[in-house]
């Protein structure tokens, strides 16, 4: 009887040992699986408290940098000799004039230029200096190579009066271009175009300080954005909280002066103080320096993109393209400007004013401009005259 009791006790012990052993093996197997396959992460005390799904969520919240690539160039000033040289078989076609910038422009999300002159259909006769009206085929060519952001406010905006402005706005409303500076009504003026790409929102405000002595029709100030500090401040307040990036296109300065005047400097400071991120300047028809005011990038003048100005020293035939990256931190929404670079441009044409072409200096040679190396040095120095850290793209054939 005692032997049976001892045997029974041994069986009980074995039974409980088996249960403990199975539980222990199961626990160790679970820990090993987690260790090798990531369903759990053990802390220093051996506690498994973070699973794989949590890990994925952590990765989703990881900081990202969103980016937009921006390119800006200057005045499209279409003198009559330019549009006549691109009129063939009853059609205006400016594609040859801009073909050398096509491969550059297409790489950018935002590609800006200044439409110096009113444009539209032929209900107004096309004309050049001094009262311009440009075939819309020029804008078609610019759109075709990738330009999608256009300032319309300039000293020539009123050259053809109210109808010239209405024709211009009518044309741009048929496009997907972000444009600013002219409007066909008060409602339209205050309906700011906001774009979004790569999780970055942006808009542009455009103003001119000069109208060549011409006046906006009474009661129709909405037709043209003339620079007025109070109105500019209201416009900025209307859009600043709606966008990540705010661009201001300014038609300002003194023609043919390579240095910004005090008025430009004061306006740039005002725009910076009120939250503008990038200021793009035009009107002098020559290049002026690039600099920063606080965190605001200031491009005082891009010069001409294309024109038929006659100047012996080539000043009006040398323009600028500025490129940069706009970057947004997904965690903080902070905006930064990086990889800022500029490249000189040259408007080439023959001695009898034909064959107009915009040539980037990275492609230029003596066939287009005999002293291009000296010109490059001179105008690069102007670009960097305030901030020597501004980068100007080097000549490919500088040796």
């Amino acid at each position: 009887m005692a032997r049976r009791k001892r045997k029974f006790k041994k069986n009980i012990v074995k039974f409980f040992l088996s249960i403990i052993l199975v539980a222990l093996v199961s626990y160790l197997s679970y820990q090993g699986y987690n260790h090798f396959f990531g369903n759990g992460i053990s802390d220093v005390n051996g506690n498994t408290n973070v699973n794989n799904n949590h890990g994925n969520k952590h990765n989703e919240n990881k900081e990202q940098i969103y980016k937009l690539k921006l390119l800006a160039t200057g005045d499209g000033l279409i003198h009559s000799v330019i549009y006549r040289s691109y009129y063939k078989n009853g059609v205006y076609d400016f594609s040859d004039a801009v073909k050398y910038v096509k491969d550059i422009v297409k790489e950018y999300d935002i590609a800006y230029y200044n439409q110096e002159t009113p444009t539209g259909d032929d209900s107004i006769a096309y004309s050049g200096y001094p009262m311009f009206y440009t075939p819309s085929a020029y804008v078609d060519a610019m759109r075709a190579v990738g330009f999608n952001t256009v300032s319309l406010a300039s000293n020539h905006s009123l050259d053809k009066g109210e109808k010239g402005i209405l024709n211009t706005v009518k044309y741009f409303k048929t496009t997907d271009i972000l444009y600013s500076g002219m409007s066909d009504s008060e409602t339209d003026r205050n309906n700011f175009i906001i774009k979004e790409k790569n999780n970055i929102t942006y808009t542009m405000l455009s103003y001119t300080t000069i109208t060549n002595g011409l006046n906006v029709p009474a009661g129709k100030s909405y037709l043209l954005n003339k620079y007025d500090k109070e109105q500019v401040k209201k416009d900025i307040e209307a859009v600043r909280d709606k966008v990540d990036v705010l661009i201001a296109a300014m038609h300002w300065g003194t023609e043919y002066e390579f240095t910004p005047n005090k008025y430009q400097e004061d306006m740039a400071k005002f725009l910076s103080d009120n939250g503008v991120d990038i200021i793009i300047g035009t009107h002098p028809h020559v290049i002026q320096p690039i600099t920063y005011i606080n965190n605001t990038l200031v491009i005082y003048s891009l010069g001409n993109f294309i024109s038929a100005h006659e100047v012996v020293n080539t000043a009006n035939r040398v323009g600028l393209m500025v490129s940069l990256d706009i970057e947004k931190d997904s965690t903080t929404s902070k905006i930064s400007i990086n990889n800022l670079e500029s490249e000189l441009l040259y408007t080439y044409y023959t001695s009898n004013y034909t064959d107009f072409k915009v040539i980037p200096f990275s492609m230029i040679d003596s066939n287009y401009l005999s002293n291009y190396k000296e010109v490059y040095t001179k105008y690069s120095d102007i670009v960097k005259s305030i901030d020597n850290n501004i980068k100007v793209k080097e000549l490919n054939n500088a040796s």
Side-chain angles (χ1 to χ4, degrees), residues 244-302:
D244 297 308
V245 179
L246 177 56
I247 302 166
M250 295 298 301
H251 210 69
W252 61 4
T254 306
E255 289 187 340
Y256 320 124
E257 290 291 332
F258 297 109
T259 303
N261 60 35
K262 182 66 164 53
Y263 192 30
Q264 285 173 275
E265 294 172 344
D266 291 345
M267 281 186 283
K269 179 68 164 54
F270 175 78
L271 293 168
S272 176
D273 289 345
N274 282 276
V276 171
D277 298 297
I278 300 170
I279 301 170
I280 302 175
T282 54
H283 174 65
H285 301 303
V286 294
I287 289 170
Q288 290 183 349
I290 298 173
T291 190
Y292 285 89
I293 297 177
N294 299 318
N295 293 321
T296 303
L297 174 66
V298 183
I299 306 165
Y300 276 112
S301 177
L302 289 162

Side-chain angles (χ1 to χ4, degrees), residues 31-48:
Q31 290 292 327
Y33 182 87
N34 285 341
H35 176 75
F36 287 105
F37 295 97
N39 281 343
I41 301 173
S42 298
D43 63 17
V44 292
N45 296 315
N47 299 315
T48 304

Side-chain angles (χ1 to χ4, degrees), residues 16 67 87 112 116 153 209 265 268 312 387:
F16 281 108
K67 183 167 73 172
Y87 184 73
Y112 164 97
E116 178 83 8
T209 62
E265 294 172 344
V312 175
D387 185 347

